[in-house]
Amino acid sequence: MDKEAVLAHIRMSKGMSTLLGGELPVSVIHNNKYISPLTSEAQVTDRNVEENLCSLDHAVHTALSGEIKNVMLVGPEGSGKTTALEKLVVDWAKGDHLQNFSYVFHFRIRELNSLNGALSLETLMLLHHGLIPPEAMPLVMQKPECVLFVFDDLDHCKQSVDPSVHTLCSDPNQAASLSCVVASLLHGSLLKGAAFVVTARSTACVKSLTGTQVEVLGFRKPQREAYFNGFFPDPAVANKALIHMERTLGFYNICTSPRFCWTVCSIYKSLMDAGTKLPETLSQLYVDILVHLIQMLSLNEAFNRDLVLALGKMASHCFLDQHSSCTKEEIGSFGFQQFLTSLSVFLQVDGDQSERCVFSFHSQMMQEFLLAVSFFLDKSTPEGVEKMLEKHKGHAEFVDVFLSALSEPVQRRPLEILLGELNLGRIADFKRWFKSTSETAMKGHYKEKHFHCYHLLQQAQNESLVREIINPSARIGISYGALSHKDSVALNYVFSLLGEIEQLNLYNSNNFSEEKAEALLPTMSLSHKIILSSSSLSTGAVLHLASALRRGFTKELDLYHTYLGDEKLKILCTGLRESKVLDINLRVCKLTEASCDELVSVLTSGASQLCVLHMSSNEIGDQGLIKLCKALHSPHCKLQELNLRDTKLTAQSMEALSAALCSGQSELRKVDLTQNVIGNSGMEALCKSLKHPLCKLQSLTVFDNELTGDCCPHLMDALMSEHCSLSELDLSVNELGQKGALLLCQALTRPGSPIETLRMNRCELTQPVFKELGSLLKSGTSKLKSLSVGLSDVGDQGVKYLWDAIAHPNCLLEELDVEMTQLTDAGVDDLCAAIRASKTLKSLELRNNLMTDAAVPALVQVMQDSETMLEMNLKYNDFSEDVFELLEECDRIRY
């Protein structure tokens, strides 16, 4: 094969480049401006990890050197597939790559579509390019392993290449449809052993093919920077254009398209040269593009109008019939007769200018924009907006977005200067539809509908419309996690106009990138509460979050289960030191002792307002807590609540905590030490602080801390102290036993004891302990309002002491938890009598007991009669479905 002839064929200019078509591949390659798009191969699991990505050229060369030399490139329009294929062929023809192939045949499916009738593979190879003499054909057929076929735009095949659609042919001289010949090649029926590279916009088009599937990602940020720097000679101008495109247009995913980058650079240059303002939205960009294209033709208003109406008809036809292209005969029905010489400005023309050429839109986005413009331009039919949108649903994704922008006078004005006034009736109809559907969507809980509303509002750029639609009835507190960059921009536009907002819920944002965080920076600054729990934050995103905290109104920050790590927390703390944050949740964030140094600097900064710190399930250890305790000695530290559940603490750090609580500087009111092995010695250290006059602690949770009854004398001593200020004590899941628990009951008899909440679930309690608790509740000195003694094997007799107490006028109890205490139907009369007699009881936890259907009528009746009881939980008792209907009669019973 004559490689010089191949190069000459590639270098032949095909069509003309427009703002929508992008720069021609031949120009990109010839002028050394080629930048290989990034790719992510199918087997890569984490597509967000930059190091897993490689250039498209490298991916193709690697795949073609494998055992199965078949490659399918899949990516959206404009992602660089066509240019990459032409570069592949040029490199082969120049001898740079793929020299194991003697013959390379490069076909564009769009051009082949202009060929009518049946043809054979041999005819296709001989006639279409004319790059191989007939006498060489037998040699080609004898050595298929030396042949590479390159097919661009497989989506444009008139039929699927799935083998089930065709009767595949095996004879190179057999005439068949183009789709059948291509399918036979790709499935190995024709020229078995030959390699191929194909491109398609969707995986559905290549799902029947065997080989390496490569996802074409287009341009990532470094490649975009290189492209813009190559387009604009002035680096400052290049940077301004790039930042404006990424931050302002709001469709970050489109910015990965090399074609879109070329279009943006071209229109920006035109606008900058004219001293005109750059577009604020995607819709405004397409208004500028359409104005530019129309002005190129220098037609009058009537001709401009007819041309756009014809383009709109073609756009609708292609969407509804799911055709990507139209023949010359078809476009005649749309009203293009007088514009045939001008069509290459708007459409891609493949084939010669005879009746066999085909026409298609360069860009689906522009196809949708033209559909929107022509709908508002058309005054000939009474079709309503709802009917039009329903008709194109599933085909045109952005048409209502463009309609939203065009419904605003300021945004449509540049087009009306060239096209005349749009159809004001249709615009009013759209506005009615938009307001109605948006208000309905914003009252619902579907975030996709919320985001769509935000996109429409952002494109409209109408502040009063935002305030009208996002009114107090809108549910903007729902989770907006896993949002895209374009969602971030739209959400930020809307929320920034609303001013301070109560809550920004970004729960489960799997890839909260620097770009998304940057787009949301103003909104984060305006949010009183930011929820990012179960999210994945990049380092850049944390930088922007820190900036938002430093200058914003945020009082509560939830980063639960974000696996933040020490380094990212260090960045976050630069913002926390000067923030208004009162409450931060850092549970399950992979923090270690090193993070505690940063948190100490925040707590002692003097500017920090932090008073609630959740550190659960982080391996800070004793040394980490000892560091935090240093902050508690500072007069600047405002910390009132410290949650240290499962943080690998032992008795070693309890002395430091106790000393801090007694320092006179500590403002700590609540400490949670759940699931730390502090043991009796650690508890003994804490008891020293509980009876200290300077200790302000009001709530202590030592749930599952490996305590035994041996610590109870020390705890009793502390609780008996007149200086003890504890009102809430949780000792659950510790083996206190009867002896230890009785000591605690004795301590609570002290007149003036402040304890109002006591939890001793699964503490080895016995009937004598329940008896003592009953006496305590009736004593008239106890302030207990909430008591939890579940998972105690005391039966009806043991719990009866509590029922008797509840019925006593001195008892102040409002909540009682007796889950899994072996209650049976025999104790139901006492239970009901207690509820009837009590003036304070509001909640009963009766889960996991042994009551049966026989108990249900009495329990339902007493709940219906009670004026004070708010809830009774009967889940997991021995009830059958026969009583479910009766239980449903009382909505205060859970079962």
Side-chain angles (χ1 to χ4, degrees), residues 77-89:
E77 65 174 41
S79 57
K81 304 184 298 297
T82 295
T83 305
L85 284 196
E86 295 204 7
K87 181 68 162 54
L88 180 80
V89 178

Side-chain angles (χ1 to χ4, degrees), residues 471-744:
N471 51 49
S473 66
R475 291 193 175 99
I476 61 173
I478 67 172
S479 172
Y480 291 142
L483 72 175
S484 66
H485 184 268
K486 65 178 182 179
D487 294 333
S488 304
V489 172
L491 187 150
N492 183 72
Y493 168 78
V494 171
F495 280 22
S496 295
L497 293 178
L498 296 175
E500 292 182 44
I501 57 173
E502 190 63 32
Q503 176 175 289
L504 175 63
N505 189 345
L506 301 174
Y507 164 78
N508 199 28
S509 291
N510 298 325
N511 180 23
F512 195 58
S513 63
E514 178 179 358
E515 292 81 12
K516 294 175 188 175
E518 184 177 28
L520 281 172
L521 183 56
T523 293
M524 290 193 292
S525 298
L526 291 167
S527 304
H528 287 273
K529 180 178 182 178
I530 300 175
I531 300 175
L532 279 162
S533 52
S534 298
S535 297
S536 173
L537 282 70
S538 70
T539 300
V542 177
L543 275 166
H544 291 303
L545 177 58
S547 176
L549 297 178
R550 185 164 44 247
R551 67 190 197 189
F553 300 99
T554 306
K555 295 179 180 178
E556 188 174 351
L557 177 62
D558 187 351
L559 295 170
Y560 165 68
H561 207 270
T562 56
Y563 297 128
L564 201 63
D566 295 330
E567 289 304 313
K568 290 178 185 175
L569 181 72
K570 185 176 183 179
I571 296 170
L572 186 69
C573 286
T574 61
L576 283 173
R577 289 188 191 98
E578 303 171 46
S579 74
K580 297 180 176 68
V581 174
L582 303 173
D583 184 329
I584 185 168
N585 188 347
L586 295 170
R587 292 184 295 155
V588 199
C589 281
K590 283 198 172 181
L591 305 181
T592 69
E593 172 194 336
S595 289
C596 295
D597 288 317
E598 299 300 326
L599 290 169
V600 168
S601 72
V602 171
L603 292 168
T604 58
S605 68
S608 169
Q609 305 296 311
L610 196 62
C611 56
V612 179
L613 176 60
H614 298 275
M615 292 288 289
S616 296
S617 299
N618 291 294
E619 296 190 10
I620 65 170
D622 289 319
Q623 292 307 309
L625 177 55
I626 289 170
K627 290 177 179 178
L628 289 176
C629 288
K630 292 178 182 177
L632 299 176
H633 288 271
S634 168
H636 298 300
C637 182
K638 301 176 180 67
L639 202 62
Q640 296 182 19
E641 182 176 338
L642 181 58
N643 190 320
L644 296 166
R645 179 188 183 115
D646 185 25
T647 47
K648 311 302 179 188
L649 305 179
T650 69
Q652 180 184 349
S653 53
M654 293 303 105
E655 287 287 353
L657 179 57
S658 181
L661 291 169
C662 302
S663 67
Q665 299 293 346
S666 172
E667 295 295 326
L668 269 184
R669 302 293 197 274
K670 185 174 183 177
V671 174
D672 186 344
L673 297 168
T674 297
Q675 293 178 334
N676 286 292
V677 188
I678 68 169
N680 293 332
S681 58
M683 191 66 209
E684 182 180 351
L686 288 174
C687 287
K688 295 176 186 176
S689 63
L690 293 179
K691 57 186 180 182
H692 195 282
L694 296 180
C695 178
K696 302 181 181 72
L697 203 64
Q698 296 174 357
S699 174
L700 176 62
T701 299
V702 281
F703 181 108
D704 192 13
N705 284 176
E706 297 198 4
L707 307 180
T708 70
D710 291 343
C711 75
C712 290
H714 302 289
L715 188 53
M716 175 186 176
D717 186 34
L719 295 175
M720 294 288 286
S721 168
E722 62 177 326
H723 300 300
C724 180
S725 56
L726 276 188
S727 60
E728 182 177 353
L729 177 61
D730 190 344
L731 293 157
S732 299
V733 195
N734 288 295
E735 297 180 4
L736 303 182
Q738 177 174 299
K739 183 178 179 182
L742 289 174
L743 289 175
L744 295 178

Side-chain angles (χ1 to χ4, degrees), residues 60-69 71 98 100-101:
V60 173
H61 293 153
T62 301
L64 288 175
S65 62
E67 187 175 341
I68 301 177
K69 298 179 175 63
V71 188
L98 304 177
N100 53 316
F101 295 106

